[in-house]
Amino acid sequence: MTSTPTPPVSIALLTLGCARNDVDSEELAGRLAADGFTLVEDPENADTVVVNTCGFVDAAKKDSIDTLLAAADLKESGRPQAVVAVGCLAERYGEELADSLPEADAVLGFDDYQDISGRLRSILAGERPHPHTPRDRRLLLPISPAERQAAVETADLGADIDIAIPGRSAIRRRLDGGPMAPLKLASGCDRRCTFCAIPMFRGSFVSRRPSDVLQEAHWLAEQGVKELFLVSENSTSYGKDLGDLGLLETLLPELTAVDGVERVRVSYLQPAETRPGLVRAIATTPGVAPYFDLSFQHASATVLRRMRRFGDPESFLGLLAQVRELAPEAGVRSNVIVGFPGETEEEFQTLCDFLVAARMDVTGVFGYSDEDGTEAAALDGKLDDDEIRARVQHLNDLVAELTAERAEERIGSTVEVLVEEVDPDGSRDGAVEGRAAQQGPEVDGTTRVLGVPDARVGDLLRAVVVASDGVDLIAEPAGGQR
């Protein structure tokens, strides 16, 4: 008697949030594929839908919950048998999320990642695991960064060690076939910004070893990746727990030397920690995008102190002057928070004046809102919601004008554009869309290059900027396709 083989279980992974979450999803996908699961793109064709949630700000939380509810609706009319929440929202709220969202069949935390296949099989078999119980992940590792690597290698810190506390090689399966891929440098954060809850659910800062980063870079290049996007909660801290705070400066040229890699981009730099050697490395190393993702958050020294951050307009403008002296065409982006508790009109004006002087390519504007468990939630001097919205609108209008002007300043310059889409509007006019060196993925605008009918996704084109549209650029080929 021959037994009928059991068909493989299909999984759809839906990812919300930042590029760090993209890496986590690809690591989960790698584990699942290695254990015999079939990965599908369309949740309607999946036995199980896994939603990798974001728990950073209210809007991201809402998107995560809406995605979980939409996936749960598919169980009524389609194939999915289970919907599972993972990621930062699940890690941060655990039981609370499960109680408020009974439509989800399970809420799993980072500790469940290493045995994700076993967890999903038990859920499909009808078991309902106890929801993840949140804990302060900053307490998992020694306070001293120098002692953390030994703890990562030897201590029993739970099954999440590859994801929430990286340091060992992780299995990874690409979910996006594009020419850019995020590459995680580190996980966690040691800063104690009063508005931010990320360290509580991501844990203390732990660097990945350079050998692991390089090994993964080679693997990504073999998958056709042309641009490596280095991600972490704080890239300026890379190496401090490995005994070498200058390790990123050493690692960058090694990454650009990986066969097939055309460009390396660094994300999320803390201005107060951005040392001259790192500025020089990013601005002048061949193959590294002269791109500075500087997390200013505000410009008023007094607001920054209440945020438990450091800086002022003079020091920030001095840092930008260093950048532009070494790389006049460098791209600069930042995020700022408006309406922080106690923010006066004078402090808000300081921020506005700084942005005018800074001439950044992109600035993300966020209105302050209380985050559970943060110090700022208990601060006095909360601004009225209407006042916060008015200041956000004012700053967004200013930023739109400033960034459009900055894009116009680039007309006539020569850029190298990584092609990410051919014939983006279906007009067959030989246009392609991609990103120049000063444009980071997804949030920094794009460059449209006209008249290149033979270009392919992944090509690097030299082009001359001929026009701009907001933060987006329009260019014509200058020759030198690679």
Side-chain angles (χ1 to χ4, degrees):
M1 179 177 175
T2 4
S3 60
T4 306
T6 306
V9 176
S10 58
I11 301 287
L13 264 165
L14 307 181
T15 307
L16 295 100
C18 65
R20 297 179 290 281
N21 252 18
D22 291 336
V23 178
D24 287 356
S25 284
E26 292 194 350
E27 291 177 347
L28 288 172
R31 293 181 185 279
L32 292 166
D35 287 337
F37 286 80
T38 300
L39 300 168
V40 298
E41 290 186 17
D42 189 344
E44 292 188 7
N45 298 328
D47 298 312
T48 303
V49 181
V50 177
V51 180
N52 189 356
T53 59
C54 178
F56 181 43
V57 293
D58 286 343
K61 296 174 194 174
K62 183 180 184 303
D63 286 346
S64 295
I65 291 170
D66 289 346
T67 303
L68 285 163
L69 289 172
D73 286 344
L74 296 176
K75 293 193 294 181
E76 302 299 321
S77 57
R79 177 174 176 173
Q81 303 168 44
V83 173
V84 178
V86 299
C88 292
L89 190 70
E91 173 66 34
R92 184 176 180 185
Y93 292 104
E95 296 161 305
E96 182 182 342
L97 178 63
D99 290 343
S100 63
L101 199 71
E103 293 87 349
D105 296 279
V107 175
L108 304 180
F110 295 149
D111 293 344
D112 296 299
Y113 281 18
Q114 187 161 325
D115 189 28
I116 189 67
S117 300
R119 300 289 192 274
L120 295 185
R121 286 196 174 97
S122 69
I123 293 164
L124 285 169
E127 296 181 24
R128 289 297 176 263
H130 188 276
H132 160 70
T133 301
R135 53 180 171 168
D136 189 339
R137 304 197 76 83
R138 293 173 297 185
L139 306 178
L140 293 179
L141 289 170
I143 293 176
S144 167
E147 298 174 3
R148 288 180 194 159
Q149 288 293 327
V152 168
E153 295 297 332
T154 62
D156 180 12
L157 298 171
D160 64 312
I161 199 164
D162 287 316
I163 300 283
I165 310 172
R168 299 178 182 175
S169 296
I171 304 169
R172 184 171 175 181
R173 170 79 172 265
R174 289 213 73 199
L175 297 173
D176 178 356
M180 182 283 300
L183 175 56
K184 192 179 288 187
L185 280 175
S187 186
C189 184
D190 288 340
R191 300 187 71 90
R192 295 295 180 262
C193 303
T194 57
F195 56 83
C196 183
I198 288 175
M200 285 185 284
F201 57 85
R202 276 289 184 179
S204 299
F205 185 89
V206 179
S207 303
R208 295 183 69 193
R209 293 192 176 276
S211 56
D212 290 336
V213 177
L214 283 166
Q215 181 182 8
E216 192 168 328
H218 281 282
W219 179 80
L220 288 169
E222 290 168 3
Q223 310 303 306
V225 171
K226 301 296 184 182
E227 178 178 314
L228 301 174
F229 185 42
L230 305 185
V231 298
S232 73
E233 278 75 25
N234 179 6
S235 297
T236 38
S237 283
Y238 181 70
K240 71 176 185 180
D241 51 324
L242 296 171
D244 184 359
L245 194 53
L247 200 54
L248 184 53
E249 291 95 304
T250 305
L251 181 60
L252 287 174
E254 295 184 70
L255 289 169
T256 62
V258 173
D259 189 30
V261 171
E262 299 281 2
R263 189 155 72 194
V264 176
R265 183 183 304 276
V266 183
S267 73
Y268 214 77
L269 305 171
Q270 287 287 349
E273 298 179 29
T274 304
R275 52 202 174 273
L278 181 57
V279 172
R280 181 173 295 278
I282 294 174
T284 65
T285 302
V288 175
Y291 172 83
F292 291 80
D293 177 13
L294 293 161
S295 174
F296 289 124
Q297 301 299 353
H298 210 279
S300 163
T302 47
V303 172
L304 287 165
R305 295 302 180 274
R306 293 198 295 276
M307 291 179 168
R308 292 199 189 281
R309 296 175 67 87
F310 303 95
D312 51 47
E314 291 72 25
S315 62
F316 290 166
L317 292 173
L319 175 57
L320 293 176
Q322 291 178 41
V323 167
R324 288 165 176 153
E325 182 179 1
L326 294 167
E329 298 299 320
V332 181
R333 81 165 329 273
S334 190
N335 294 313
V336 296
I337 296 173
V338 177
F340 191 77
E343 182 189 63
T344 64
E345 291 186 6
E346 182 181 359
E347 290 167 334
F348 177 65
Q349 188 59 48
T350 296
L351 174 59
C352 295
D353 293 343
F354 165 71
L355 293 178
V356 171
R359 295 173 46 250
M360 292 189 285
D361 294 271
V362 178
T363 304
V365 179
F366 294 88
Y368 172 82
S369 61
D370 288 339
E371 283 294 313
D372 298 333
T374 62
E375 186 178 343
L379 290 178
D380 294 330
K382 298 288 176 59
L383 274 67
D384 180 84
D385 288 345
D386 289 340
E387 178 62 26
I388 293 176
R389 281 192 290 269
R391 293 186 185 188
V392 168
Q393 184 61 56
H394 177 86
L395 205 59
N396 272 327
D397 291 344
L398 176 62
V399 162
E401 181 181 345
L402 294 172
T403 53
E405 289 175 358
R406 180 63 178 145
E408 287 178 9
E409 291 174 5
R410 295 191 179 277
I411 294 174
S413 65
T414 301
V415 294
E416 286 198 329
V417 179
L418 178 67
V419 177
E420 296 182 309
E421 190 175 358
V422 173
D423 192 24
D425 54 11
S427 61
R428 300 189 178 181
D429 59 359
V432 301
E433 191 167 273
R435 291 176 296 104
Q438 74 270 13
Q439 295 170 320
E442 297 185 3
V443 292
D444 289 353
T446 61
T447 299
R448 183 183 181 89
V449 185
L450 308 175
V452 280
D454 298 327
R456 298 167 300 175
V457 171
D459 285 345
L460 201 64
L461 305 178
R462 290 185 71 250
V464 176
V465 179
V466 296
S468 63
D469 181 8
V471 297
D472 298 326
L473 303 177
I474 300 167
E476 295 177 349
Q481 177 175 329
R482 286 195 276 150

